[in-house]
């Protein structure tokens, strides 16, 4: 056998090369890989020995040569191919071991130049990998050091079957596809929706099951040159508890995204991917208590997210309440020790909580995908156009800003009732807005009196505002834009309520 080894990631390489050498394999290599193998005492030839041509253009051209690619691409079962190799004195290549330049690591460094980025676009490596993968029935291609062990064992036993080779080829093509995706993303403008698009994903784990136990599922992390550091729920560190399921990830993502939209300290409790409790406070324990009081019934078995450190006070306040997931930026050790006594509760830590540049939001549809910018409207600066006779008081204005931020994270049609720093009732997911309003008022109960209301979209009819007035709501924030807006304004004025328009909608489907 003959093998070409040319890798950037050299973990496990020497052991694999020694195993190949023991199988009487001629080893060929380039650059740093050749140096590493030679220093380990292996006999390794230069690729230039195959090509009878030196590396040129500062290493840009090393393996790009017919002696390499004909040796890889020749079909052993086609006599004409093998006759051509003999006529040209080209030796077949049986094994290709390669992985690519660290393009992502390079372009995510601060102040990296375009020249450095371009020099780290691998050309020979992907070409060689693709050639070997194309001819996988005859050539073994290995791009992942984790595969060295089982591949070597099968080669030693002369038991590397066609299905094994096919699996390696699939991995090789995917390896190159992820690499090419990173390059194209680097060259693309942030605000450009290209005509053709690939997305690079790396599997983080197989899940217990999907939305239902009879559905298989896996979790993937988006690989991006614009967001290089792991962030968000896909990169959370699980400290304790049962394995995550598909729904766990959806709920946890909704809770964490909402919590990160508020200044510290904030707590969000989510049930079925929408918040049932949101509160901010000066300390995490008070924020948690406020969020829990928002809807104690729905909170049971829910998901809790704190955008700061989970303290012993929070752990004490959680006593007696079951939660499926608890997540925070960090945990006091005493709080962590206490919470770990909950055998099944999943404890997550997200040390790199979010990214300044989140890029696009992806949503799957049948046989396709929708892309949009994330809803990152700065709600603290929301314009409030007063359309009622009475303007909101300063206290109401602060509560309206808080409510407007809350309603953005609640599923449409969304209506929330809030005080200055706590959501006291929410209605959502209804086919009409009046039903959502009734649900929010019912959830708030007596707390509706003196609260403010936020609606994620305009009121098509004044009936929701009438219900709010009857419940004692004092101020409303909504986008406006209905043909019946004037009727809605009149209801507010007759009830003595303040009403402001934002001109911005916050649908979340």
């Amino acid at each position: 056998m003959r093998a070409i080894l040319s890798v950037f990631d050299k973990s496990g390489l020497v052991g694999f090369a020694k195993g190949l050498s023991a199988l009487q394999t001629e080893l060929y290599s380039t650059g740093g890989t050749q140096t590493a193998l030679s220093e380990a005492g292996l006999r390794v030839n230069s690729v230039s020995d195959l090509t009878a041509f030196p590396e040129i253009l500062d290493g840009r051209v090393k393996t790009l040569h017919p002696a390499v690619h004909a040796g890889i691409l020749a079909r052993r079962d086609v006599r004409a191919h093998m006759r051509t190799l003999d006529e040209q004195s080209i030796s077949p290549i049986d094994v290709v071991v390669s992985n690519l330049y660290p393009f992502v690591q390079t372009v995510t460094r601060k102040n990296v130049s375009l020249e450095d980025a371009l020099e780290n676009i691998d050309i020979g490596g992907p070409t060689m990998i693709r050639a070997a993968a194309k001819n996988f029935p005859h050539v073994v291609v290995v791009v992942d050091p984790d595969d060295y062990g089982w591949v070597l064992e099968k080669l030693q036993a002369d038991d590397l079957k066609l299905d094994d080779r096919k699996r390696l080829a699939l991995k090789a093509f995917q390896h190159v596809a992820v690499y090419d995706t990173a390059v194209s993303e680097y060259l693309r403008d942030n605000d450009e929706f290209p005509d053709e698009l690939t997305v690079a994903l790396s599997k983080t784990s197989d899940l217990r099951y999907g939305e239902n136990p009879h559905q298989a599922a896996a979790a993937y992390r988006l690989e991006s040159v614009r967001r290089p550091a792991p962030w968000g729920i896909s990169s959370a560190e699980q400290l304790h508890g049962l394995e995550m399921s598909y729904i766990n990830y959806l709920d946890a993502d909704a809770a964490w995204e909402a919590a990160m939209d508020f200044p510290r300290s904030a707590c969000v409790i989510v049930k079925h991917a929408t918040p049932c409790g949101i509160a901010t406070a000066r300390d995490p324990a008070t924020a948690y208590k406020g969020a829990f009081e928002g809807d104690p019934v729905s909170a049971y078995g829910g998901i809790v997210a704190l955008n700061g450190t989970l303290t012993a006070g929070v752990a004490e306040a959680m006593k007696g309440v079951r939660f499926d997931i608890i997540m925070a930026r960090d945990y006091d050790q005493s709080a962590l020790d206490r919470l770990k006594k909950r055998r099944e509760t999943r404890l997550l830590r997200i040390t790199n909580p979010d990214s300044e540049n989140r890029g696009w939001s992806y949503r799957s549809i049948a046989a396709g995908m929708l892309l949009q910018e994330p809803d990152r409207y700065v709600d603290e600066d929301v314009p409030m156009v007063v359309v009622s006779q009475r303007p909101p008081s300063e206290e109401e204005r602060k509560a309206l800003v808080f409510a407007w931020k809350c309603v953005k994270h609640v599923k449409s049609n969304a209506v929330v009732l809030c005080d200055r720093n706590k959501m006291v009732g929410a209605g959502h997911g209804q086919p009409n807005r009046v039903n959502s309003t009734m649900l929010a008022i019912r959830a708030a109960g007596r707390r509706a009196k003196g609260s403010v209301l936020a609606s994620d979209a305009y009121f098509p009819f004044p009936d929701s505002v009438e219900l709010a007035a009857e419940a004692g709501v004092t101020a409303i924030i909504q986008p406006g834009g209905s043909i019946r807006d004037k009727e809605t304004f009149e209801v507010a004025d007759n009830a003595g309520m303040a009403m402001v328009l934002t001109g911005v909608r916050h649908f979340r489907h």
Side-chain angles (χ1 to χ4, degrees), residues 30 48 51-65 101 119:
T30 62
S48 296
T51 63
F53 200 89
E55 295 182 13
I56 60 172
L57 303 181
D58 298 321
R60 281 190 168 201
V61 178
K62 292 180 284 193
T63 59
L64 296 169
H65 194 280
Y101 291 171
E119 287 305 314

Side-chain angles (χ1 to χ4, degrees), residues 25-215:
T25 305
E26 295 178 25
L27 305 181
Y28 294 86
S29 191
T30 62
T33 305
Q34 183 178 5
T35 300
L37 296 177
S38 297
E39 290 176 350
L42 284 159
R43 181 178 178 181
V44 56
N45 306 294
S46 171
V47 168
S48 296
D49 295 333
L50 282 177
T51 63
F53 200 89
E55 295 182 13
I56 60 172
L57 303 181
D58 298 321
R60 281 190 168 201
V61 178
K62 292 180 284 193
T63 59
L64 296 169
H65 194 280
V68 171
H69 288 279
I72 294 172
L73 286 166
R75 288 182 54 179
R76 280 44 164 184
D77 58 343
V78 176
R79 290 183 179 180
H81 284 198
M82 301 310 292
R83 186 166 57 249
T84 297
L85 292 190
D86 288 339
E87 291 171 354
Q88 300 299 325
S89 300
I90 294 174
S91 302
I93 306 298
D94 306 293
V95 180
V96 171
V97 184
S98 183
N99 50 62
L100 306 176
Y101 291 171
F103 180 77
V104 172
Q105 295 92 319
T106 298
V107 300
T108 52
R109 294 199 308 256
K110 288 184 178 180
N111 303 319
V112 65
S113 67
L114 177 62
E115 181 181 356
D116 285 342
L118 295 178
E119 287 305 314
N120 276 275
I121 297 176
D122 201 328
I123 300 300
T127 306
M128 190 164 60
I129 289 171
R130 288 173 58 84
K134 174 186 172 83
N135 202 24
F136 74 84
H138 308 286
V139 180
V140 180
V141 57
V142 188
V143 297
D144 186 352
D146 288 343
D147 292 326
Y148 291 165
W150 72 265
V151 170
L152 186 59
E153 287 179 4
K154 293 216 167 193
L155 287 174
Q156 290 168 338
D158 194 22
D159 190 36
L160 194 68
K161 295 182 170 57
L162 185 63
D163 283 347
D164 298 322
R165 293 167 175 265
K166 182 179 178 181
R167 178 154 58 107
L168 291 169
L170 166 64
K171 204 166 191 177
F173 277 120
Q174 192 63 68
H175 181 63
V176 176
V178 169
Y179 190 86
D180 288 343
T181 297
V183 174
S184 63
E185 184 186 15
Y186 171 76
L187 297 174
R188 185 174 63 233
D189 291 333
N190 270 332
D191 58 351
E192 180 182 348
F193 289 96
D195 294 332
E196 295 180 316
L197 178 70
T198 55
V199 178
L201 301 168
S202 294
K203 188 166 75 172
T204 56
S205 63
D206 291 306
L207 302 181
R208 296 172 67 210
Y209 49 78
E211 282 186 281
N212 300 289
H214 60 272
Q215 295 171 268

Side-chain angles (χ1 to χ4, degrees), residues 292-333:
F292 180 75
E293 290 167 0
D295 189 346
V297 174
S298 297
Y300 184 85
I303 285 77
V304 182
L306 290 105
N307 63 1
T309 299
L310 195 151
T311 62
V314 177
E316 172 64 24
M318 288 179 170
K319 183 178 179 180
V321 185
R322 178 185 177 275
F323 293 114
D324 277 359
I325 303 171
I326 299 171
M327 71 190 85
R329 289 194 186 198
D330 207 351
Y331 296 77
D332 286 348
Q333 189 59 49

